[in-house]
Amino acid sequence: MTLTPAKNSAIKGAAFCVFQIMLGRVFMAGGEYGNLYVYWIGLAWVLVFLAFLGRIGFAFFTQKPSFQADNAGFSVMGKAQRPWSDYHGAQVKAIRVYFIPILSWVVVKTAPGMLGSSQSIQWGYLSDKPKKMAEKMNNFARKQQMHGN
């Protein structure tokens, strides 16, 4: 099973970044009227989202698998392949404003417990909606672990 970043995920991420860059430009323009700190906040905002836009573009054009799995194990974001005994589930994490999810991504737990290690699949690298992607990963892992791989 190989999951690669979806084009619509990259397009949504790029559109979000462009909107945020325009918002940062508004802050920069407002800072030109005497509020110099507002200008610097806007500039930092623009630079952060330019970096995010660059990461999304890189993911879109390189098409590196965000999750790759076979009988021997799994790999997240092109890292070294790990055995199925290290897989402790994929779950969706989200940033919310009150009850409205603003940004969601998938986290693959690679060690048990609350403080166990994990690897994230960022929103620009998702192959599908985060919940569907996590379900696909968990279903495939469950089948592999049941067969003793």
Side-chain angles (χ1 to χ4, degrees):
M1 176 171 92
T2 300
L3 301 176
T4 56
K7 289 182 181 182
N8 66 351
S9 179
I11 290 169
K12 287 178 188 176
F16 177 74
C17 287
V18 168
F19 173 74
Q20 294 298 325
I21 289 169
M22 292 182 346
L23 186 64
R25 288 288 300 141
V26 168
F27 277 102
M28 290 173 69
E32 294 174 358
Y33 297 109
N35 294 335
L36 196 56
Y37 66 91
V38 174
Y39 174 83
W40 289 108
I41 291 171
L43 180 62
W45 194 279
V46 167
L47 292 176
V48 165
F49 282 98
L50 276 174
F52 285 153
L53 188 61
R55 286 186 66 184
I56 291 169
F58 183 75
F60 182 75
F61 290 112
T62 58
Q63 286 297 308
K64 171 177 81 170
S66 51
F67 184 80
Q68 196 167 17
D70 57 15
N71 292 339
F74 68 98
S75 172
V76 180
M77 297 299 296
K79 305 269 195 230
Q81 189 172 26
R82 302 176 76 125
W84 284 111
S85 60
D86 287 353
Y87 187 88
H88 293 279
Q91 53 187 240
V92 177
K93 297 287 184 175
I95 295 174
R96 298 178 188 276
V97 175
Y98 297 103
F99 297 106
I100 302 168
I102 302 298
L103 196 59
S104 299
W105 65 96
V106 176
V107 175
V108 178
K109 297 214 34 139
T110 56
M114 285 179 50
L115 300 176
S117 64
S118 61
Q119 294 176 320
S120 295
I121 300 174
Q122 314 262 323
W123 47 277
Y125 294 86
L126 298 175
S127 66
D128 205 345
K129 292 182 179 178
K131 187 175 180 179
K132 283 186 178 183
M133 188 173 174
E135 285 175 3
K136 285 180 190 177
M137 293 162 59
N138 287 331
N139 289 338
F140 188 82
R142 192 174 306 114
K143 288 176 188 174
Q144 295 302 315
Q145 290 170 338
M146 285 174 53
H147 294 297
N149 294 332

